Amino acid sequence: MGFSLFVIRFSPLPQKQRLAFRLLGPALNVNEKRTTNNEKRIAAALLLGLLGFAAQAQHPRLPARKPGLEPAPLQTEQLTQDRPAADTARVFSLQDLAELVFANHPVVKQAALLSETARSQVQQARGGFDPKLGSGFDRKLFGGTQYYNNWANELKVPVWPAGIDLKVGYERMVGTYVNPEHRTPLDGLAVAGLSVPLGQGLLIDARRSTLRQAKILVDAAEADKVKQINEIWLQAAKDYWNWYYGYQQMLLTREAIQLAETRFRATSRRAVIGDQAPIDSVEAQITVQDRLVQLAQQQVELQNNSLLLSTYLWNKDGQPVELPAYAVPQRPTLQPLDTVALRGLLDFAESRHPTLLKLDAKIRQLGVEERFRRELLKPTVNVSGYLLSRGDFYRPEVPAYYDFGRNNYKVGVDFAFPLFLRKERGKLWETRLKVQDATLEQQNSRRVIVNQVQARFNALKAYEQQLNIQAQTIENQRLLLRAELQKFELGESTLFLVNSRETKLIELRLKQESLRAGYEKTLAELYYYAGTRAVQEQ
């Protein structure tokens, strides 16, 4: 009821009464004017007291009036463009993140295992050329008769060129029922010779093909390793700039709350002394409360962004660590790139991009496979020749005709050739199709990579233009806000317009920080699509 009486008392006067007051104004009693002003102030104080009681559990209380209270200023420095740099001891820079990710992150360590795995496969392939030492012994004695006593020893050494096998051995096969063609002297028989493929396997065989392909796969594994590390770094950089944007949101909202609270206190004091409508203080308090709600939501988002960034932080012992609560992000450097830098990135992408390197290694591997498959179309012709001697050839009393010489030898020739070669021709056909497929994929990938690099560069240039325009827009909006505040001081504007101007300025500043974060994320994407992960030195 008190509120309704207040409205009735201060409702606008009819036009005729206002005109009468203007005409009779000089004749009004001065004491009556003072009484009317005092009544207005008392009624305003009562209304503000009721409003303050209703909002007591929310935020600032109206200050008590004191004798000689002057109006509080509304003009303040609004949302400064650039804040002083934070304490460098608290700044967690992008370079700090890169050092931790590249040194300790499990995915980076896991990617390093790809190269080690490929090298282990090379070592396995080299095993095909390891010398082999073999020995076998068989003896049969039955009914007092020695059926056979066989002892065979062999050292076989594969030789890389021409697929030659070097063989040195010692055989002793004696007994009543030993096959005469295998029987040796009682002192045994020494063997030394070669086995040479003259047809299939002369230029390349399975052992050499496997080793060459394994060596090429090391290059493919290195490219795959770089690609995986680039991917994890791209995501880490994006999450870092998301954390930066969330931090800037919180700072801007805190500053906006301070401005709103200053305006609320100033409006309240002015309402108490009767220089401003009391309802304006309600609107000022609503602005404070709305921004407090925004701040609470942004603090949760910032905490989540910090947790997401912490997933990339590991110590040297492989234990996860958390981002300190006091850590703050660096300011974006907004490093500009020109066409010369773009040309360098394009050249790097076309020659050293991990995707293209991996496809190039695949094509070279298939080239080795194709060469081996062509070799299998040849007939198998293996020629072997061994010199023979008695097992005790090292003794000087051994007759010359039992020693190594041209009259003591063993030779052999093996020949084989499939008549239709359907299996071999089918394998060769399949390998050639794989080579064509990998070549076409490489051509397409190169075109896609170049276009992606160019697209990200164009996006960076668009960001540069937007940031320049955004800075000018913010300055113009700041001028509008200052002008609106001056008009408000003169009584020619309303608090609603002041809040609208300020809210628009906050939105523009938030958009500016969003553009800065977007620029840095696009720069990280540009480096990623170029096949590198350049980190800006701070």
Side-chain angles (χ1 to χ4, degrees):
M1 177 172 291
F3 183 77
S4 62
L5 291 175
F6 174 79
V7 174
I8 293 172
R9 183 172 182 83
F10 289 93
S11 60
L13 295 174
Q15 185 175 2
K16 293 181 179 180
Q17 293 184 18
R18 293 200 303 270
L19 180 59
F21 272 103
R22 291 194 189 98
L23 295 175
L24 299 176
L28 289 177
N29 190 293
V30 176
N31 292 331
E32 183 177 352
K33 284 184 179 181
R34 292 178 179 175
T35 303
T36 304
N37 289 335
N38 290 335
E39 290 176 354
K40 289 181 179 180
R41 292 173 181 174
I42 294 171
L46 290 174
L47 175 59
L48 291 174
L50 291 173
L51 294 174
F53 177 77
Q56 183 176 3
Q58 299 179 7
H59 207 58
R61 302 183 52 153
L62 299 178
R65 182 182 177 185
K66 297 180 180 179
L69 185 65
E70 298 297 333
L74 290 175
Q75 181 69 29
T76 55
E77 184 64 25
Q78 302 290 327
L79 300 165
T80 56
Q81 181 76 9
D82 293 311
R83 301 176 185 83
D87 183 7
T88 54
R90 297 174 53 201
V91 174
F92 182 71
S93 66
L94 189 65
Q95 182 68 34
D96 296 332
L97 176 64
E99 292 175 358
L100 290 175
V101 169
F102 297 148
N104 303 324
H105 198 282
V107 174
V108 176
K109 294 182 178 180
Q110 185 179 11
L113 297 179
L114 295 174
S115 299
E116 296 299 323
T117 302
R119 292 188 181 92
S120 69
Q121 293 175 351
V122 172
Q123 186 173 1
Q124 295 177 40
R126 292 184 186 277
F129 296 89
D130 289 345
K132 294 181 180 179
L133 178 63
S135 178
F137 177 76
D138 292 313
R139 182 179 183 183
K140 183 178 179 181
L141 186 65
F142 181 73
T145 302
Q146 178 176 268
Y147 280 62
Y148 55 81
N149 189 332
N150 299 335
W151 185 30
N153 302 276
E154 180 183 71
L155 175 61
K156 187 176 181 182
V157 182
V159 182
W160 170 263
I164 298 174
D165 289 333
L166 173 63
K167 180 180 177 182
V168 178
Y170 171 78
E171 300 175 351
R172 184 176 184 278
M173 298 182 181
V174 295
T176 305
Y177 296 105
V178 173
N179 191 334
E181 68 180 45
H182 295 153
R183 183 176 293 131
T184 65
L186 291 177
D187 294 327
L189 194 67
V191 180
L194 299 173
S195 175
V196 182
L198 298 181
Q200 183 183 120
L202 178 63
L203 301 179
I204 188 172
D205 55 10
R207 295 177 301 183
R208 284 176 283 175
S209 173
T210 302
L211 180 56
R212 289 173 181 173
Q213 292 186 45
K215 289 182 177 179
I216 294 173
L217 285 177
V218 173
D219 297 335
E222 288 288 342
D224 205 13
K225 166 189 169 182
V226 172
K227 183 178 180 180
Q228 289 191 19
I229 296 177
N230 288 352
E231 288 176 353
I232 193 66
W233 172 243
L234 172 64
Q235 192 58 49
K238 286 185 174 181
D239 290 337
Y240 180 89
W241 294 116
N242 287 336
W243 175 54
Y244 162 82
Y245 177 62
Y247 179 74
Q248 293 299 323
Q249 272 186 314
M250 185 192 67
L251 290 184
L252 285 170
T253 304
R254 282 181 177 175
E255 188 176 353
I257 290 174
Q258 293 176 359
L259 294 174
E261 288 177 343
T262 301
R263 188 170 298 114
F264 171 73
R265 288 191 295 269
T267 305
S268 301
R269 292 170 64 184
R270 291 183 174 206
V272 168
I273 64 177
D275 287 349
Q276 195 164 338
I279 199 67
D280 286 342
S281 63
V282 179
E283 182 175 353
Q285 187 179 36
I286 291 175
T287 302
V288 174
Q289 294 165 346
D290 180 59
R291 293 177 182 177
L292 284 172
V293 172
Q294 294 179 14
L295 178 63
Q297 180 180 0
Q298 290 168 1
Q299 285 177 335
V300 173
E301 293 177 356
L302 180 61
Q303 289 176 355
N304 293 338
N305 289 336
S306 299
L307 288 175
L308 188 59
L309 190 63
S310 295
T311 59
Y312 303 98
L313 306 181
W314 300 76
N315 60 22
K316 60 181 180 180
D317 298 325
Q319 299 298 320
V321 296
E322 297 294 332
L323 185 68
Y326 59 82
V328 297
Q330 70 173 61
R331 293 192 61 80
T333 56
L334 302 178
Q335 176 186 358
L337 294 180
D338 53 16
T339 54
V340 176
L342 174 63
R343 186 68 259 170
L345 287 174
L346 289 174
D347 293 340
F348 183 91
E350 291 180 356
S351 60
R352 298 178 57 188
H353 195 283
T355 298
L356 299 180
L357 291 178
K358 185 176 180 180
L359 288 172
D360 180 69
K362 182 179 180 180
I363 292 174
R364 289 188 287 121
Q365 177 195 5
L366 290 172
V368 175
E369 181 70 16
E370 180 183 5
R371 183 183 177 189
F372 173 63
R373 294 300 172 184
R374 288 201 308 267
E375 187 74 9
L376 294 181
L377 298 179
K378 299 178 180 179
T380 301
V381 181
N382 293 328
V383 177
S384 59
Y386 303 97
L387 297 177
L388 305 178
S389 175
R390 273 180 32 172
D392 54 351
F393 62 91
Y394 53 87
R395 297 176 61 181
E397 61 270 17
V398 175
Y401 53 84
Y402 283 144
D403 201 356
F404 290 110
R406 62 181 181 178
N407 294 324
N408 299 323
Y409 62 87
K410 181 175 69 172
V411 296
V413 178
D414 296 328
F415 175 83
F417 184 69
L419 295 181
F420 299 111
L421 294 173
R422 283 181 288 195
K423 177 181 178 181
E424 289 75 11
R425 288 189 289 113
K427 285 289 187 179
L428 178 60
W429 187 9
E430 180 184 5
T431 304
R432 287 174 174 172
L433 292 176
K434 290 181 179 179
V435 171
Q436 293 179 10
D437 179 75
T439 303
L440 294 174
E441 184 180 357
Q442 187 184 47
Q443 293 175 356
N444 181 67
S445 298
R446 180 176 286 107
R447 179 67 181 274
V448 170
I449 288 170
V450 169
N451 289 342
Q452 287 174 334
V453 172
Q454 185 68 56
R456 293 309 180 278
F457 180 79
N458 295 339
L460 281 181
K461 290 304 176 183
Y463 270 117
E464 291 178 6
Q465 296 177 1
Q466 293 177 54
L467 284 168
N468 292 332
I469 296 174
Q470 190 72 9
Q472 298 173 11
T473 305
I474 289 173
E475 289 302 319
N476 292 335
Q477 184 64 29
R478 186 173 285 110
L479 290 175
L480 286 177
L481 176 58
R482 290 172 180 170
E484 201 67 46
L485 284 168
Q486 292 176 0
K487 290 171 63 179
F488 186 80
E489 293 279 357
L490 298 174
E492 297 178 0
S493 181
T494 63
L495 188 62
F496 174 79
L497 290 177
V498 173
N499 287 334
S500 298
R501 300 289 191 193
E502 188 175 83
T503 301
K504 182 63 176 178
L505 178 58
I506 294 171
E507 293 176 355
L508 291 175
R509 286 286 288 112
L510 287 174
K511 184 176 180 181
Q512 184 184 45
E513 297 300 340
S514 177
L515 289 173
R516 288 174 173 174
Y519 182 94
E520 295 294 342
K521 288 190 285 186
T522 304
L523 182 62
E525 290 179 350
L526 173 64
Y527 285 126
Y528 170 76
Y529 287 119
T532 183
R533 50 179 185 272
V535 180
Q536 304 169 17
E537 296 293 336
Q538 307 306 327

